[in-house]
Amino acid sequence: MTVQPSANPDLISSLQTIVGHAHVLTSDAATYRFTHGFRFGAGKVLAVIQPGSLVELWRVAQACVAADKIIIMQAANTGLTGGSTPDGNNYDRDIVLISTLRLDRAHLIGDGKQVVCLPGATLYELESKLAAVGREPHSVIGSSCIGASVLGGVSNNSGGALVQRGPAYTEMAVFGQIGVDGQLRLVNHLGIQLGNDPETVLTKLEAGAFTDADIDWNAGRGHDGNYINHVREIDADTPARFNADPQRWHEAAGCAGKLVVFAVRLDTFPAEKNTSVFYIGSNNTEELEDLRRHVLTGFDTLPIAGEYIHRDAFNIAEKYGKDTFAVIRYFGTEFLPKMFAMKSRSDIFAQKFSFLPDHLSDRLMQAFSHFLPQQLPKRMLEYRDRFEHHLMLKVSAELTEPMQAYLKDFFGKATGEYFECTADEGKRAFLHRFAAAGAAVRYRAVHHKEAEDIVALDVALRRNDRDWFEHLPKEIEDKLIVKLYYGHFLCHVMHQDYVVKKGYDAMEVEHSMLPGLDERGAKYPAEHNVGHLYYAPKEMLDHYQSLDPCNCLNPGIGKATKKRNWVAESV
């Protein structure tokens, strides 16, 4: 049971001294947007702390460890499985949630070929910074549209749309780790000489006060360079990527909040110019699988992205993601974090008045969307009416002509069709695909009388799985209102959202789906990590325990015990 701040005056006073009174939040209203997940997860905290420097973060962590408090690290809070928020109120210690959003610096090194990101740096900000030197970060769209952090992606081995790059990964980081003795220690594996004293290290790191001579250019890998070959192995009986893959765990990479990470060092990539997008429609899943297998093996270079969306998801996104689509199209992704902050504040305000309806902000935004003009190109709408399955291939300039020739030959015999997008059509096609990710949330909010909740799965299918499209048994189908299928098709990673009918337990529905996925040899989650939604396999829990032997950081992840020192819940 969470103790009130009044019962911890010394700690609260100490934290206020470290970061300032304005950045220690204790009321339910002030902490609401931090303690409630983007799609899932909620719970009480003793306080939310917003450090303004890495030294402040270090001192806050020290104070919390000394006071025997649980620490939950949080950046943008855009995760879909509740992995950076509390999970209920059944913890054995008070929780201090540390928001790192004020720590948003990123230092380009090696002429921009690598970057050192502090914990609050967002994908959007990094993308903008790298654009000035003709380079890109590991991920450039999708989560970046809603302000996701770079470090959040690394901590969760998050995937993404870019076929050649694989899950976010690095072997270079600076982090705080709580040992078996309960002491917090700073570990510098960044490959940059910054001194020995923790506060000196962190002061130099934040200021970028280091030279090329201080940098070890062979300190470790800044991304998974083998993935480009791994994904091409189309006859392998295992998925290409999933969170519980030990090959992509290394200290900060895959730590899931079990370390206090101060910075990560990552590779960047040359920005592609003069790219092309091909839009494909088909009513035959085997046809698309044949295409997928050839695209992965028949060319010297891989496409940049290959995104799938089913017609039902297309339709739901068209209606319930229309305002998000329009905001990004007209104002850019930089406006999204502000929009979500305004949404959170309005939800907090509405809770104070019982006469106001639930999900007020979503319902108002949906009403507003009715006045917006059609956002989708005519040719996409025509394909929606004709084809059940839609695939978007984005390719480099050098791959454009070979892909044109291949698609012309392939669809000369196949039943589907394709067209090459104009630049505007290509941007809108991919934006529509990513608007689908939030459409189920909006649908549930608007149809709250008919919808109980959402089941959201992200599934990594076997690379050799030809029967990739899901067919649910009738006893599960009867409990659902809509099913939304979309994903990273070339990697065989599918996002599957289900809106559950009123009166059915969403968790029970989800658990009834999992045996079918197990039979198919699928792995889940594929890229959003276990959070508080999924059971982590033993190997993953052993990994978390090795990083955090006292279970002081983000306990309960993967449905593990929340108790100190990993004591079983039943004890």
Side-chain angles (χ1 to χ4, degrees):
M1 186 173 184
T2 303
V3 180
Q4 294 300 313
S6 58
N8 294 265
D10 292 342
L11 177 60
I12 296 299
S13 176
S14 176
L15 295 172
Q16 289 172 336
T17 299
I18 295 169
V19 303
H21 284 65
H23 299 296
V24 177
L25 313 178
T26 57
S27 70
D28 288 346
T31 61
Y32 181 92
R33 68 189 180 98
F34 301 94
T35 58
H36 289 68
F38 177 71
R39 182 182 279 181
F40 172 86
K44 301 273 188 186
V45 298
L46 177 66
V48 171
I49 313 300
Q50 301 171 300
S53 72
L54 293 183
V55 170
E56 286 185 4
L57 173 55
W58 172 249
R59 292 175 180 173
V60 166
Q62 285 183 310
C64 292
V65 170
D68 192 28
K69 304 303 180 188
I70 287 170
I71 297 174
I72 295 180
M73 300 295 298
Q74 183 187 97
N77 193 19
T78 60
L80 303 182
T81 59
S84 61
T85 56
D87 176 46
N89 300 309
N90 59 336
Y91 293 82
D92 63 348
R93 293 150 289 169
D94 300 324
I95 298 170
V96 175
L97 190 153
I98 302 177
S99 170
T100 62
L101 286 178
R102 296 176 67 203
L103 309 174
D104 58 358
R105 288 191 182 182
H107 303 298
L108 304 189
I109 60 176
D111 297 322
K113 292 179 181 177
Q114 289 189 331
V115 62
V116 175
C117 290
L118 272 56
T122 66
L123 287 169
Y124 168 75
E125 291 164 340
L126 180 57
E127 187 178 343
S128 299
K129 193 165 191 172
L130 285 170
V133 294
R135 298 188 70 85
E136 295 176 342
H138 176 272
S139 299
V140 297
I141 195 169
S143 296
S144 57
C145 290
I146 54 175
S149 70
V150 176
L151 202 145
V154 172
S155 297
N156 294 301
N157 288 138
S158 297
L162 301 178
V163 179
Q164 302 174 24
R165 300 180 192 174
Y169 177 80
T170 187
E171 295 169 355
M172 299 171 286
V174 173
F175 54 89
Q177 184 170 26
I178 304 173
V180 176
D181 58 0
Q183 298 299 306
L184 177 69
R185 295 176 177 84
L186 189 71
V187 179
N188 180 9
H189 288 168
L190 199 64
I192 301 177
Q193 292 296 323
L194 297 164
N196 297 311
D197 172 68
E199 294 200 1
T200 299
V201 169
L202 297 174
T203 299
K204 288 185 175 181
L205 173 59
E206 183 165 3
F210 48 83
T211 66
D212 281 359
D214 297 317
I215 301 173
D216 177 1
W217 295 105
N218 298 302
R221 294 187 294 162
H223 81 287
D224 180 5
N226 188 53
Y227 185 79
I228 194 169
N229 301 313
H230 185 72
V231 74
R232 285 183 182 266
E233 296 171 0
I234 58 173
D235 293 317
D237 199 38
T238 56
R241 55 181 168 95
F242 56 99
N243 290 126
D245 185 354
Q247 296 180 68
R248 299 188 180 95
W249 298 338
H250 186 88
E251 298 176 341
C255 73
K258 287 296 186 178
L259 299 170
V260 180
V261 184
F262 292 89
V264 293
R265 177 176 159 191
L266 299 161
D267 294 334
T268 69
F269 305 85
E272 296 280 2
K273 298 179 180 179
N274 303 315
T275 59
S276 299
V277 173
F278 297 94
Y279 197 95
I280 296 162
S282 177
N283 291 314
N284 187 323
T285 58
E286 292 183 8
E287 193 169 87
L288 289 186
E289 182 59 21
D290 287 339
L291 186 150
R292 169 185 169 271
R293 293 172 69 85
H294 181 84
V295 165
L296 286 174
T297 59
F299 299 96
D300 292 337
T301 58
L302 289 177
I304 298 166
E307 292 297 294
Y308 168 81
I309 184 168
H310 183 266
R311 177 159 54 198
D312 291 344
F314 185 114
N315 290 334
I316 294 294
E318 180 193 10
K319 183 174 182 180
Y320 296 96
K322 187 178 182 182
D323 54 318
T324 301
F325 184 112
V327 166
I328 298 172
R329 182 183 172 201
Y330 296 131
F331 301 105
T333 54
E334 66 269 28
F335 188 76
L336 262 290
K338 298 176 184 176
M339 187 179 84
F340 283 110
M342 290 188 290
K343 180 180 182 301
S344 178
R345 285 193 288 270
S346 68
D347 287 338
I348 295 168
F349 175 79
Q351 286 186 336
K352 297 178 181 179
F353 302 96
S354 58
F355 62 87
L356 291 176
D358 292 337
H359 310 291
L360 179 63
S361 64
D362 277 299
R363 295 168 73 174
L364 289 174
M365 291 167 72
Q366 187 60 31
F368 163 74
S369 71
H370 291 306
F371 297 99
L372 293 171
Q374 173 60 255
Q375 298 296 307
L376 299 178
K378 182 179 178 181
R379 288 200 287 184
M380 281 178 60
L381 295 171
E382 290 174 347
Y383 266 46
R384 182 268 312 275
D385 295 337
R386 296 173 55 204
F387 299 113
E388 181 179 2
H389 306 284
H390 299 242
L391 177 63
M392 291 144 270
L393 290 178
K394 184 177 183 180
V395 302
S396 63
E398 65 178 294
L399 189 54
T400 296
E401 287 191 14
M403 188 62 70
Q404 283 174 334
Y406 167 69
L407 292 176
K408 182 177 181 180
D409 178 69
F410 182 84
F411 286 108
K413 306 163 189 173
T415 61
E417 292 184 18
Y418 79 99
F419 63 85
E420 185 174 352
C421 296
T422 64
D424 180 62
E425 286 175 327
K427 289 178 181 178
R428 291 207 235 177
F430 273 86
L431 180 51
H432 181 61
R433 152 62 187 88
F434 290 109
V441 177
R442 175 66 60 78
Y443 184 96
R444 176 190 60 180
V446 173
H447 297 274
H448 60 97
K449 291 182 179 179
E450 301 87 24
E452 183 68 35
D453 208 342
I454 295 172
V455 171
L457 298 176
D458 61 299
V459 179
L461 303 175
R462 292 176 292 113
R463 282 168 283 175
N464 65 354
D465 191 351
R466 295 192 62 89
D467 189 17
W468 56 271
F469 190 71
E470 183 177 64
H471 300 282
L472 292 171
K474 186 176 186 301
E475 59 267 25
I476 297 179
E477 288 270 10
D478 289 345
K479 299 175 183 177
L480 307 176
I481 300 174
V482 293
K483 302 174 298 181
L484 308 183
Y485 296 108
Y486 51 95
H488 315 306
F489 188 63
L490 298 183
C491 299
H492 254 196
V493 168
M494 299 298 295
H495 297 287
Q496 302 175 177
D497 296 343
Y498 313 86
V499 181
V500 179
K501 291 179 182 177
K502 204 74 171 178
Y504 292 103
D505 185 288
M507 195 64 69
E508 289 182 5
V509 172
E510 177 180 343
H511 288 168
S512 70
M513 295 175 173
L514 302 184
L517 293 173
D518 294 336
E519 289 175 10
R520 297 172 63 190
K523 297 289 186 180
Y524 48 87
E527 59 182 12
H528 290 149
N529 217 332
V530 289
H532 291 290
L533 270 180
Y534 298 92
Y535 286 95
K538 183 180 184 304
E539 192 171 22
M540 199 173 203
L541 293 179
D542 289 345
H543 169 64
Y544 292 158
Q545 190 166 354
S546 71
L547 295 177
D548 177 25
C550 69
N551 207 21
C552 300
L553 291 156
N554 213 8
I557 288 295
K559 296 192 176 291
T561 177
K562 297 176 180 175
K563 291 189 175 182
R564 182 190 289 104
N565 298 326
W566 297 85
V567 173
E569 291 288 346
S570 57
V571 175

